[in-house]
Amino acid sequence: MRVLLVEDEVRLAENVAAALREGPGYAVDVAEDGETAVDLAGNRCYDLVILDLMLPRIDGGGVLRRIRAAGDKTPVLVLTARAEKDSIIRLLNDGADDYLSKPFDLGELIARAKAQIRRGKGAAHPTIRVGDIEIHSLEQQVTRGGRPIDLSPMEYRILEYLVYRPRVIVSKRELLEHLYDYNWEHHSNVIEAHVSNLRRKLDADAAHPSIETLRGRGYRLAIVREVG
């Protein structure tokens, strides 16, 4: 998953970005002002926006309203030092999905980020079943037919993204956009290599294939996800 972190306090932004990358393994782009945030949100694909309110150029409230006015439905988690009831109500009415008061615990921030991404993909529970495949998103563990499957971090992220897009053909470009941040140096065959390894591990000893390849279009789960 790919997160846009909008925070002008450099040390805080570095700590939060590191926690999101090292914990759930999210790709993270950082914007240090509101104008950059609006530009990135309008031109790239994100699974979550974490938005501070006190920003230069355009404040967080303005960023939120512009994102929503553009029709962007990406979940937005607001970081705020303004814990007054009226301020929180205004943020939620403007389209925020959740908020966290500063100072905050990084563990709580990550838990809220995971929950927002999960709900944004239509999954209410952290354990997702796809046929005989079971994904435990909190521990990032996968089983098929009860057999534990050892996936690399990127293999897990690809599988998780496909699970969140049931019945949808996901292109290689879409996977690149959601799994890598803008500092990543592109290698054209990296997705194919990861998907090949993922399929080999999932399908060992299995009666049915897990992932379809649709030539020139992308990938799709061959098993239907149970929505929950």
Side-chain angles (χ1 to χ4, degrees), residues 10-222:
V10 175
R11 179 65 62 86
L12 179 58
E14 290 176 347
N15 290 340
V16 171
L20 291 168
R21 289 172 179 136
E22 293 169 9
Y26 298 150
V28 183
D29 294 339
V30 178
E32 296 181 359
D33 64 77
E35 190 171 305
T36 301
V38 171
D39 180 62
L40 286 173
N43 291 286
R44 298 175 190 271
C45 300
Y46 293 101
D47 301 288
L48 175 69
V49 177
I50 299 177
L51 177 65
D52 184 33
L53 289 184
M54 303 296 289
L55 296 169
R57 307 177 82 171
I58 303 173
D59 68 16
V63 172
L64 176 61
R65 288 187 290 275
R66 292 189 188 205
I67 288 175
R68 293 302 185 229
D72 190 334
K73 298 179 181 177
T74 305
V76 175
L77 169 58
V78 169
L79 305 178
T80 176
R82 304 170 187 166
E84 299 89 355
K85 183 176 67 176
D86 290 346
S87 175
I88 298 304
I89 290 173
R90 186 165 57 251
L91 285 168
L92 295 172
N93 285 339
D94 283 342
D97 296 275
D98 194 7
Y99 73 95
L100 191 58
S101 299
K102 288 184 172 182
F104 54 82
D105 179 81
L106 276 176
E108 182 177 357
L109 172 64
I110 290 174
R112 288 176 182 268
K114 287 180 177 178
Q116 286 301 325
I117 289 176
R118 193 168 61 238
R119 291 182 182 280
K121 306 297 182 188
H125 196 277
T127 297
I128 305 169
R129 293 181 183 82
V130 187
D132 57 352
I133 298 175
E134 197 165 88
I135 297 177
H136 305 271
S137 63
L138 297 183
E139 302 87 1
Q140 297 194 350
Q141 295 177 346
V142 175
T143 63
R144 183 166 193 188
R147 177 177 64 90
I149 299 174
D150 184 21
L151 300 180
S152 72
M154 186 52 67
E155 290 160 6
Y156 173 83
R157 291 170 208 164
I158 290 172
L159 177 61
E160 183 183 48
Y161 191 82
L162 292 174
V163 164
Y164 283 140
R165 304 276 286 155
R167 304 182 183 88
V168 174
I169 300 170
V170 177
S171 69
K172 183 174 71 174
R173 180 182 181 84
E174 183 176 345
L175 285 171
L176 289 168
E177 287 178 344
H178 283 269
L179 301 178
Y180 293 92
D181 63 35
Y182 56 37
N183 292 317
W184 181 71
E185 294 184 11
H186 178 74
H187 299 287
S188 61
N189 64 346
V190 66
I191 292 294
E192 289 95 326
H194 285 306
V195 170
S196 176
N197 289 333
L198 173 59
R199 183 187 286 120
R200 175 175 53 77
K201 292 178 181 180
L202 286 173
D203 294 352
D205 302 323
H208 305 287
S210 55
I211 300 172
E212 297 176 89
T213 298
L214 295 99
R215 187 174 298 277
R217 301 173 66 189
Y219 308 98
R220 180 173 59 189
L221 278 180

